Amino acid sequence: MGTVTEPAVTALANAQPQETTDGFHLVIDALKLNGIDTIFGLPGIPITDLTRMLQAAGLRMISFRHEQSAGYAASIAGYLTQKPGICLTVSAPGFLNGLTALAHATTNCFPMILISGSSEREVVDLQQGDYEEMDQLAVAKTMAKAAFRVLHAEDIGVGIARAIRAAVSGRPGGVYLDLPAKLFAQSIDAATGKASLIKVVDPAPRQIPAPDAVARALDLLKGAKKPLIVLGKGAAYAQADADIASLVEKTGIPYLSMSMAKGLLPDTHEQSASAARSYVLPEADVVLLIGARLNWLLSHGKGKTWGGKDHKAWGGQKFIQVDISPQEADSNVRIDAPVIGDIGSCVAALLAGVGSGWQKPPAEWTSAIAERKNKNIAKMAETLAKDPSPMNFHSALNVVRDIVRANPEAMLVNEGANALDFTRSIVDMYKPRKRIDVGTWGIMGIGMGYCVAAAVVTGQQVIAVEGDSAFGFSGMEVETICRYNLPVCIVIMNNNGVYRGTDVDPTGRDPAPTVFVKNARYDKIIEAFGGVGVNATTPAELRRAMEEAVKSRKPTLINAVIDETAGTESGRITSLNPSAKKKA
Ligand code: ADP
Ligand code: TZD
Ligand code: MG
């Protein structure tokens, strides 16, 4: 600057088209800048062009048949990668279809961002009846960890940065980002646009626990006669696998893995107390919780499960809780030693305090556990060895157990009631973050979305064990699996219904609410899309089909015919089911 500005030259410069960018490109550039490489979604107004442009820009755009599956895929992608999983939907109904998954992500502490296009603000706010009109931001707020809307192209960088930080920092959760239709076409100067983008620095900052909190926890643990460690999916999420394994092994303390923490240490580990769960919970005197909440899945830390006299009474345990959320402690029972921070930092600090001279737990405790455990394992082996006709859950899952043992890198997706509970207890996991399931809500419908995400994110073989009811919630995504040619082997435990297939309508008019078409051939569904369908009526047929699926990596659906009388009402959680007292 500072030289003489000759009028003719200035005019020429002004005549040159100024380089511009628009909302579409800024959204894509902001996501790319932050290392987002995969989007799960479903196109339509106003985001159709965005989906095309994302793909053209080199991001992976995985297009689903229903937003709920896209949302579940995004949520579990977040869990597996520690980067927010992105779900992209259209307005009102598309947004609402994605919202269940957003709430699910928040509930499970998975980082996810639901990005929805929305209709014209001034029309929506005056409720003048726009195309797909809805105040999406207001609706999302109640179910998300945070919710934002961007109105101006210049703010896209900030909007996406805030969404990423909110999703992954502290306790992870679901974040909603509202992008109105008009934003996408807004054009601004390209350099201004570029300068407005933010590459988020340290999106999930470590949170170091206070040394006195760590010392308090170690003191408590040292004095324990019957210590127990409980590993939850927060521990799996944290990716501090080596330190967690060291802590368990150096202290010699028996441990339980919550469902999605299975495999953090191999389920066959000698310190695993899973096969003696009902013995260790009431007996333990000090319990170290790592990334596990004392919610319904742990009977709220009290009641008979924990040795309390009745369902409200506390047992005698003292609790140490390692968690990133300071509000989690005391949510259900007293936490004597909260250790607040990220699990990586907390476990490292505990490990440093444990050192090398740690006194292992008394042999009376560990041998009493081993005795129960061995007895239960032997009993289970007997049941698994039986070969009834038709197959039951045990004889079918004995096959799945072998296939997973032979393929420890494979991802295991699991939903249903009996199909879930039996799989959890029968199929051992060997590596961290390989088992993904119904999570905190016990939700049905995650199945095919999780399969797609697991295959896309990890590139590994996916094995899904699905109740026939559970499968129905997302079954159409079998087309998605075939379209992207993903290495997914779906095994449907077909017992003709919800829990079992034996109910009848006492009036004789309709099918009972819990039963489906008898002897349905789910394997035919995948054949419509070019996948491999197999009807398996024996463990040998199931084994052959699973081995072939894993070898070929072809999309495969196996209809495993299970005795319709084999299941129990609500699987393992029958006690939570209010049953009618009045008898007819
Ligand atoms: P589970 O269902 O396996 O018992 P929960 O979902 O109940 O596990 O608990 C997970 C816990 O882990 C949550 O309380 C959450 O705040 C915590 N958490 C998640 N990620 C981290 C992390 N990186 N560091 C510390 N705590 C975490
Ligand atoms: N809807 C949603 C979204 N989540 C739920 N958990 C349920 C309904 C209720 N539900 C369960 O809790 S398990 C289940 C339902 C409908 C299905 C059980 O039948 P299944 O499994 O065929 O999947 P089993 O092997 O027959 O028990
Ligand atoms: Mg069933």
Side-chain angles (χ1 to χ4, degrees):
M1 299 310 278
T3 52
V4 190
T5 49
E6 210 199 308
V9 175
T10 313
L12 193 68
N14 285 347
Q16 294 212 332
Q18 187 198 19
E19 227 191 297
T20 61
T21 185
D22 59 21
F24 285 115
H25 288 94
L26 287 168
V27 169
I28 294 165
D29 292 346
L31 292 171
K32 269 181 106 166
L33 184 64
N34 285 289
I36 305 287
D37 51 19
T38 306
I39 311 287
F40 304 94
L42 200 159
I45 296 170
I47 51 116
T48 314
D49 263 352
L50 183 60
T51 61
R52 293 193 182 105
M53 292 158 91
L54 281 159
Q55 191 170 56
L59 282 92
R60 198 129 191 235
M61 178 69 223
I62 307 292
S63 204
F64 283 76
R65 304 301 296 262
H66 191 289
E67 291 89 351
Q68 192 177 96
S69 294
Y72 289 144
S75 74
I76 206 67
Y79 168 76
L80 293 171
T81 63
Q82 296 183 326
K83 284 196 283 188
I86 312 284
C87 175
L88 180 61
T89 80
V90 303
S91 28
F95 155 77
L96 286 173
N97 286 344
L99 194 60
T100 319
L102 189 74
H104 165 77
T106 305
T107 300
N108 283 274
C109 316
F110 299 160
M112 165 182 173
I113 304 174
L114 174 66
I115 303 180
S116 296
S118 59
S119 301
E120 207 153 325
R121 285 257 43 88
E122 50 267 52
V123 182
V124 172
D125 288 347
L126 278 171
Q127 297 172 34
Q128 293 172 308
D130 203 356
Y131 168 71
E132 298 195 345
E133 173 181 296
M134 172 175 268
D135 186 357
Q136 296 166 197
L137 188 69
V139 173
K141 271 184 181 158
T142 60
M143 309 201 197
K145 187 180 167 193
F148 305 101
R149 174 155 53 220
V150 180
L151 291 177
H152 299 289
E154 297 86 331
D155 295 330
I156 287 171
V158 168
I160 288 185
R162 299 212 72 189
I164 291 172
R165 276 199 191 282
V168 298
S169 64
R171 171 183 275 179
V175 175
Y176 176 60
L177 186 62
D178 193 84
L179 302 182
K182 272 191 175 170
L183 177 76
F184 295 113
Q186 273 179 33
S187 101
I188 62 169
D189 171 59
T192 310
K194 191 166 182 215
S196 73
L197 300 183
I198 296 174
K199 183 169 171 29
V200 177
V201 175
D202 196 10
R206 281 187 304 153
Q207 299 190 21
I208 315 293
D212 56 330
V214 174
R216 187 189 298 122
L218 285 169
D219 276 352
L220 195 52
L221 206 54
K222 253 179 219 153
K225 298 269 176 301
K226 298 175 171 183
L228 177 70
I229 295 174
V230 177
L231 302 171
K233 61 180 171 305
Y237 173 79
Q239 300 193 15
D241 311 335
D243 273 1
I244 289 172
S246 284
L247 183 69
V248 170
E249 287 176 349
K250 277 198 172 160
T251 57
I253 299 175
Y255 71 94
L256 288 178
S257 298
M258 299 301 288
S259 198
M260 282 175 54
K262 275 169 69 76
L264 200 40
L265 288 91
D267 283 337
T268 47
H269 196 284
E270 65 163 348
Q271 283 171 256
S272 168
S274 290
R277 190 178 195 270
S278 60
Y279 172 71
V280 291
L281 288 179
E283 285 293 321
D285 61 355
V286 176
V287 180
L288 166 57
L289 301 161
I290 306 181
R293 287 170 285 186
L294 286 176
N295 56 16
W296 70 280
L297 288 158
L298 280 169
S299 308
H300 304 281
K302 61 190 168 194
K304 296 218 164 117
T305 309
W306 290 88
K309 281 188 290 300
D310 55 59
H311 83 285
K312 278 283 196 188
W314 297 3
Q317 296 82 3
K318 292 200 181 294
F319 287 99
I320 302 164
Q321 184 160 34
V322 174
D323 205 289
I324 202 150
S325 166
Q327 292 179 53
E328 187 54 41
D330 302 332
S331 58
N332 286 272
V333 294
R334 179 185 305 112
I335 300 300
D336 303 274
V339 180
I340 304 307
D342 70 278
I343 284 170
S345 302
C346 292
V347 170
L350 290 169
L351 203 50
V354 162
S356 50
W358 185 270
Q359 180 86 44
K360 301 235 161 144
E364 300 92 82
W365 176 230
T366 48
S367 55
I369 296 171
E371 192 187 311
R372 262 115 190 144
K373 181 176 146 175
N374 294 337
K375 207 158 45 185
N376 288 339
I377 289 175
K379 209 158 67 190
M380 177 61 94
E382 232 170 78
T383 315
L384 291 177
K386 288 185 185 145
D387 187 11
S389 177
M391 278 192 287
N392 60 13
F393 287 98
H394 291 90
S395 62
L397 287 168
N398 185 41
V399 173
V400 177
R401 170 186 162 100
D402 288 348
I403 302 286
V404 170
R405 187 195 296 131
N407 299 278
E409 293 296 341
M411 297 291 303
L412 183 71
V413 173
N414 191 198
E415 61 176 337
N418 294 280
L420 175 88
D421 294 336
F422 285 123
T423 305
R424 190 198 301 115
S425 58
I426 292 170
V427 178
D428 289 328
M429 304 306 297
Y430 301 88
K431 305 241 163 150
R433 292 171 299 284
K434 295 296 183 185
R435 185 188 154 87
I436 49 181
D437 65 27
V438 299
T440 303
W441 265 343
I443 203 167
M444 298 298 116
I446 47 92
M448 298 304 104
Y450 273 22
C451 285
V452 171
V456 166
V457 166
T458 70
Q460 298 291 345
Q461 174 68 43
V462 179
I463 295 167
V465 179
E466 299 273 314
D468 53 331
S469 164
F471 171 74
F473 287 74
S474 66
M476 196 64 214
E477 304 299 345
V478 163
E479 189 276 334
T480 311
I481 289 167
C482 291
R483 183 165 20 107
Y484 290 93
N485 195 23
L486 300 173
V488 176
C489 173
I490 304 152
V491 180
I492 297 187
M493 297 283 160
N494 187 359
N495 63 350
N496 294 341
V498 176
Y499 313 135
R500 38 201 290 136
T502 49
D503 272 10
V504 285
D505 173 359
T507 72
R509 184 174 53 190
D510 284 324
T514 54
V515 306
F516 299 143
V517 168
K518 300 270 182 192
N519 309 315
R521 291 288 302 275
Y522 289 97
D523 50 307
K524 298 280 182 198
I525 294 178
I526 200 166
E527 289 176 358
F529 309 111
V532 178
V534 180
N535 189 50
T537 58
T538 64
E541 285 170 2
L542 177 58
R543 189 180 301 272
R544 210 172 309 128
M546 288 191 78
E547 281 173 351
E548 183 53 35
V550 168
K551 197 163 113 216
S552 70
R553 285 173 66 91
K554 281 190 191 145
T556 301
L557 194 161
I558 305 166
N559 184 57
V561 180
I562 302 292
D563 181 355
E564 66 172 12
T565 68
T568 58
E569 175 101 0
S570 308
R572 282 268 185 86
I573 53 173
T574 312
S575 63
L576 300 181
N577 189 31
S579 56
K581 292 258 172 356
K582 182 171 170 287
K583 295 277 178 268

